[in-house]
Amino acid sequence: MNRTLSRISWGLMAFFAIGVSLYATTYLNLDASHGLLAQKEPHIIQRILYRVPFWLHVAGGITALMIGPFQFLASFRKKRLKLHRSLGKLYVSAIAIAGMCGIPVSLMAEGGWVARIGFLCLALVWLFTTLQAYRKIRQGNVQAHRQWMIRSYAATFAAVTLRIWLGTFMGALGWDFVTAYMTVAWLCWVPNLLVVEWVMRARKQKFAYAIEQNS
């Protein structure tokens, strides 16, 4: 039952990650009439200090979002360890670029300072969790590395949950864009991290209980 649930969960994660990644490629042409860019002031989109970081942020985010699900497959890690490591380096590099570029992009986000601080915190958390994951594997601490990678991908997955929440608030509830965006700037990533922390703690407690019962 647990294995079936895990497969379903992984399948849904991969489905949304790939789907949103493919959709996000439409932002690479910087079309001001498309998606979230249509909500921005035209003079901001024309700034080179916005266009370049935004493009790199999107490109790096797509790369990390696409790689993530496959890095969590145990069978893939065992059979393709060298590829797993190479993809891991690409994942870290993509987030280093996307996260750093996400800082100036966040400071020009719609929704005022509530939204800007929310996205700025996301960029910093994204960079920090990924750096920790990289440091732990360099130290040979595989267990801690996996835990930090889960946190890192929870931040990466904000690209998915942002669109789910935004669609819910604007489409189903009829909120205006600014109000929805201010809320989503925090809601797209904070619950993600809380959920993975709860899951990891529950698994740790279950493992400790199993050892105690068999001792």
Side-chain angles (χ1 to χ4, degrees):
M1 183 66 181
N2 288 338
R3 181 172 295 182
T4 301
L5 183 60
S6 295
R7 289 176 177 175
I8 293 174
S9 299
W10 183 89
L12 288 172
M13 177 178 68
F15 172 79
F16 282 111
I18 294 172
V20 169
S21 294
L22 293 175
Y23 169 77
T25 59
T26 60
Y27 282 99
L28 294 176
N29 62 7
L30 298 172
D31 181 2
S33 65
H34 174 71
L36 294 175
L37 289 179
Q39 305 293 334
K40 300 198 73 63
E41 295 292 334
H43 70 276
I44 293 179
I45 299 175
Q46 295 304 318
R47 293 178 185 173
I48 192 69
L49 292 178
Y50 179 82
R51 293 172 68 86
V52 173
F54 179 82
W55 195 94
L56 292 172
H57 174 70
V58 171
I62 290 172
T63 302
L65 193 60
M66 289 281 282
I67 289 174
F70 302 99
Q71 295 294 84
F72 292 113
L73 284 175
S75 58
F76 176 77
R77 292 196 302 269
K78 292 178 181 178
K79 295 179 181 179
R80 299 286 188 273
L81 183 58
K82 289 185 178 179
L83 181 57
H84 170 76
R85 289 172 176 169
S86 297
L87 288 176
K89 292 176 182 178
L90 180 59
Y91 176 87
V92 171
S93 300
I95 291 178
I97 295 171
M100 290 300 295
C101 290
I103 293 173
V105 170
S106 70
L107 297 178
M108 290 181 274
E110 300 300 310
W113 285 106
V114 172
R116 291 168 189 169
I117 294 173
F119 287 123
L120 175 62
C121 289
L122 169 58
L124 295 176
V125 167
W126 201 19
L127 289 166
F128 176 75
T129 54
T130 307
L131 175 62
Q132 287 294 96
Y134 177 75
R135 289 180 59 195
K136 294 303 179 182
I137 198 62
R138 293 288 294 176
Q139 295 169 0
N141 191 337
V142 176
Q143 182 62 27
H145 165 71
R146 290 176 180 174
Q147 291 175 342
W148 280 107
M149 278 298 295
I150 291 172
R151 297 182 181 107
S152 170
Y153 197 68
T156 303
F157 208 71
V160 175
T161 47
L162 180 147
R163 285 160 177 81
I164 293 174
W165 284 117
L166 200 59
T168 300
F169 291 144
M170 295 182 66
L173 300 180
W175 291 16
D176 64 275
F177 174 78
V178 173
T179 303
Y181 211 53
M182 289 169 58
T183 307
V184 166
W186 296 91
L187 201 58
C188 71
W189 63 276
V190 174
N192 293 11
L193 291 171
L194 292 176
V195 168
V196 298
E197 287 296 332
W198 178 78
V199 171
M200 287 192 293
R201 179 167 296 188
R203 286 181 176 176
K204 185 177 181 179
Q205 291 175 346
K206 184 177 180 180
F207 180 70
Y209 176 77
I211 293 178
E212 183 180 343
Q213 291 296 107
N214 293 319
S215 61

